[in-house]
Amino acid sequence: MRAYSIPSSNRRRKISLILASAAVGAFMLTGCATAPAAEATAAGSTTATAETPARGPFVSAANPLAVEAGMKVLARGGSAVDAAVAVQAVLGLVEPQSSGLGGGAFMMFYDADNGALTVYDGRETAPASATPELFYENGRPLPFVDAVLSGRSTGAPGVVPMLALAQRQHGALAWSDLFGDAEKLAQDGFVVSPRLAGMINGDAPQAKTRWATEYFTKADGTRYVAGDVLKNPAYAETVRTLAREGAAGLQTGPLAEAIAAAVAEDPRPGALTTADIAAYRPLVREAVCGPYKVYVVCVPPPPSSGASILQLLAMGEQTPDLDKGAQSAEAWAAFGQLQRLMYADRDRYFGDPAFVSVPVAGLLDPTYVAERAALAPALRGAAPFGTPTGAPRVGADATQEPAGTSHLVVVDAQGNAVSMTTTVESLFGSGRMAGGFFLNNQLTDFSLVPTASDGTPAANAVAAGKRPRSSMSPVIILDREGRLVGALGSPGGSSILAYNAKALIGALAWDLPLQAAFDLPNLVAKGDGFGADTEGFPAGVRDGMAARGVMLRPNTTETSGLHGGLWRNGRWDGAADSRREGVARTQ
């Protein structure tokens, strides 16, 4: 089946008609008292439903202070987008290892009035001076860590302009009223959490730059630890500027000059200019949606890799073993092998669609899906990439995606919903700071080697003005009538695709409470290995997987940080990954 473009009128009716005509397919949607997370799952694990329209307030995010800020905005009558602005402003302060004002994001917005889905692309862009050999030195690509710590790694920040655009279109409160919690916490200080303390005192080189060392060192010469109060007056001044001037406060004037100056410092100065920062524009894109079980799962299009999750779910519908449940070795082995196929295709073809043709419709075509799924049982080692309809001739990819991302979900009283994945890329981004926040190293999300040995360019090669491929894949879940039934997402670098797919399968196929689905052991199968939360699998399941060629080894990628909710039995089954410090709140 080809990808369908659905006009905004009669959207729900058209979704039903399309899904009635095919069991597997893909289509496009145009523009289209407080309880902790553990308590929010008490409603049970019955099928999610929208018979009673899903309504907030609901917030799930990676830090309780950020969740509190979002809930306050909702209590004042703010929209889901208003609350997302407040949540991001606080996350950038209290969880700077993961996201911030100097980074980027993808946002999925569900409009309860008409069922429309809109994707906001806040992915950073390469400067106008960038070339495919951006990260080359003496004719060779830089070591990855050197590339990250260089000024060359920072793209024009996108999250603030993206949030400003979405809030202009869907906000209920004044933009200037959304930064109060972030300003107060920055000015008066916040308590350093155990996770942040671990990053401050960990091995990440970005925590040891001169900028980070100055920020994270106390007057007595020691570093901050869990329980200390950390103040950031520069951040307070930044959010005051944003509240007063909007995105222009970051894209022009002293803040833009400070960003460009930090990028231009040694080692290995970058060429991002104030003109590049001022020229940045967020994009509005069409969501990619596909049926799974009785649901419709929607994700952003490229340069997000979200469509790869839809490919895996579609292959899963062709794989009966996958439905055997969380205690089944057959199900987990099948999940791993399907991942290998998904990642092989994603790594080959995904990039910025303004620069390369990404064969999304071909990857989701039922015939191609069935052909790929049929390869899974006999796979031993890395999967080959396939050749879907519309596939361009592109070279091998050499992209690395390290840790450092967050996810948030917000639903307001009218039923509008935000699912947003946000990042500075690595832990503390590039380790450089301006205005009290860390700058991204998103340009190292490009393939550091731009061409294959025969000269064929990689789909994700660097180019001026290009957006790097992203694994960020915020998810919105609808019923077959196009009504909201849930939202979720995760950090994790390239493992985001595996983490989101695990959560969707656990909740929608295995009928688990969402918290239980999030807390399932992770399995990441990319290339020729199977990284896993090995000890989280029962011994019998591990043995059964090994008998099927799935030999587990410890997961060396960033762990999951799933956040989200499903509307079940007229209430939110909310969850926050127990591997992080977040909460889900409904009142």
Side-chain angles (χ1 to χ4, degrees):
M1 178 183 290
R2 64 184 178 91
Y4 285 84
S5 179
I6 300 179
S8 57
S9 62
N10 300 319
R11 181 173 283 100
R12 293 192 179 109
R13 181 177 62 83
K14 292 189 178 184
I15 289 174
S16 299
L17 290 174
I18 288 169
L19 293 176
S21 69
V24 178
F27 52 89
M28 305 292 284
L29 288 179
T30 304
C32 49
T34 303
E39 296 173 5
T41 61
S45 57
T46 57
T47 300
T49 177
E51 292 179 3
T52 302
R55 295 286 186 266
F58 176 77
V59 181
S60 179
N63 185 282
L65 294 172
V67 172
E68 177 67 17
M71 291 296 288
K72 286 179 181 177
V73 168
L74 295 179
R76 300 203 316 264
S79 71
V81 173
D82 290 331
V85 175
V87 171
Q88 176 65 89
V90 173
L91 282 177
L93 174 69
V94 303
E95 197 198 29
Q97 70 270 24
S98 296
S99 74
L101 306 178
F106 284 94
M107 174 194 286
M108 299 277 291
F109 175 74
Y110 173 82
D111 189 325
D113 283 343
N114 56 20
L117 276 174
T118 305
V119 176
Y120 291 94
D121 178 345
R123 188 65 162 158
E124 298 87 339
T125 53
S129 61
T131 68
E133 291 76 29
L134 177 66
F135 294 108
Y136 271 53
E137 200 165 271
N138 299 319
R140 298 174 59 85
L142 286 168
F144 187 71
V145 172
D146 291 346
V148 168
L149 294 173
S150 75
R152 306 177 199 177
S153 69
T154 298
V159 67
V160 172
M162 183 203 78
L163 287 170
L165 173 61
Q167 201 272 340
R168 283 197 302 273
Q169 296 180 347
H170 302 290
L173 302 179
W175 168 269
S176 59
D177 293 338
L178 304 178
F179 298 90
D181 276 40
E183 179 188 351
K184 180 175 175 56
L185 288 166
Q187 192 69 49
D188 298 344
F190 64 94
V191 176
V192 174
S193 73
R195 183 173 176 81
L196 174 56
M199 302 300 177
I200 290 172
N201 296 284
D203 296 329
Q206 299 95 311
K208 298 177 173 63
T209 64
R210 73 158 184 86
W211 296 269
T213 297
E214 179 181 346
Y215 180 36
F216 292 137
T217 301
K218 295 183 285 189
D220 64 3
T222 63
R223 289 206 160 207
Y224 285 88
V225 297
D228 286 343
V229 174
L230 177 57
K231 297 181 179 181
N232 190 337
Y235 194 94
E237 180 58 33
T238 289
V239 294
R240 282 192 289 269
T241 298
L242 295 181
R244 183 176 62 250
E245 301 179 19
L250 181 138
Q251 292 189 267
T252 61
L255 269 179
E257 292 167 4
I259 293 169
V263 167
E265 289 198 30
D266 288 327
R268 297 182 176 88
L272 183 74
T273 66
T274 55
D276 292 317
I277 298 167
Y280 180 85
R281 294 294 182 270
L283 298 177
V284 175
R285 298 189 186 272
E286 297 176 341
V288 183
C289 298
Y292 182 64
K293 304 302 181 183
V294 299
Y295 304 99
V296 179
V297 177
C298 298
V299 293
S304 163
S305 300
S308 294
I309 298 173
L310 302 187
Q311 182 190 17
L312 188 148
L313 295 177
M315 289 190 293
E317 297 263 51
Q318 305 288 316
T319 309
D321 277 352
L322 194 63
D323 289 330
K324 292 182 178 179
Q327 301 304 311
S328 166
E330 293 94 333
W332 283 106
F335 180 48
Q337 300 290 31
L338 294 177
Q339 281 187 52
R340 282 178 156 176
L341 293 157
M342 170 193 72
Y343 278 117
D345 284 350
R346 192 288 297 250
D347 291 353
R348 192 74 179 187
Y349 295 118
F350 277 67
D352 185 339
F355 291 78
V356 62
S357 176
V358 184
V360 172
L363 290 167
L364 300 178
D365 179 82
T367 300
Y368 181 76
V369 164
E371 290 172 352
R372 294 294 277 170
L375 300 176
L379 269 181
R380 294 296 182 268
F385 64 89
T387 309
T389 300
R393 184 173 180 268
V394 291
D397 180 75
T399 302
Q400 301 182 52
E401 295 180 75
T405 303
S406 199
H407 188 81
L408 61 98
V409 167
V410 183
V411 185
D412 63 30
Q414 286 68 47
N416 305 305
V418 163
S419 185
M420 174 175 152
T421 311
T422 173
T423 188
V424 287
E425 178 51 359
S426 296
L427 297 176
F428 304 117
S430 67
R432 300 173 184 232
M433 297 183 74
F437 57 87
F438 284 94
L439 304 183
N440 72 81
N441 66 292
Q442 295 290 10
L443 302 190
T444 56
D445 261 359
F446 283 117
S447 178
L448 269 62
V449 180
T451 58
S453 57
D454 65 356
T456 306
N460 192 37
V462 182
K466 190 175 182 180
R467 295 168 191 245
R469 185 187 73 199
S470 177
S471 292
M472 291 189 289
S473 303
V475 175
I476 292 281
I477 306 164
L478 310 175
D479 68 10
R480 291 300 180 95
E481 296 299 318
R483 297 170 297 197
L484 178 71
V485 294
L488 59 83
S490 180
S494 64
S495 298
I496 287 172
L497 307 178
Y499 299 153
N500 285 0
K502 178 203 75 172
L504 290 164
I505 291 166
L508 304 184
W510 298 347
D511 200 29
L512 295 174
L514 193 61
Q515 189 67 53
F518 284 4
D519 291 342
L520 287 169
N522 286 322
L523 174 65
V524 182
K526 183 178 180 182
D528 60 0
F530 296 95
D533 299 336
T534 308
E535 298 306 313
F537 289 94
V541 173
R542 291 201 304 269
D543 292 344
M545 294 168 71
R548 291 163 177 80
V550 179
M551 308 295 294
L552 301 185
R553 64 189 184 196
N555 186 10
T556 59
T557 63
E558 179 185 8
T559 191
S560 58
L562 288 150
H563 291 87
L566 283 177
W567 185 251
R568 284 171 159 162
N569 299 327
R571 59 173 294 181
W572 282 104
D573 173 19
D577 201 318
S578 60
R579 300 166 182 85
R580 302 281 175 122
E581 297 172 330
V583 295
R585 291 184 53 183
T586 58
Q587 293 185 16

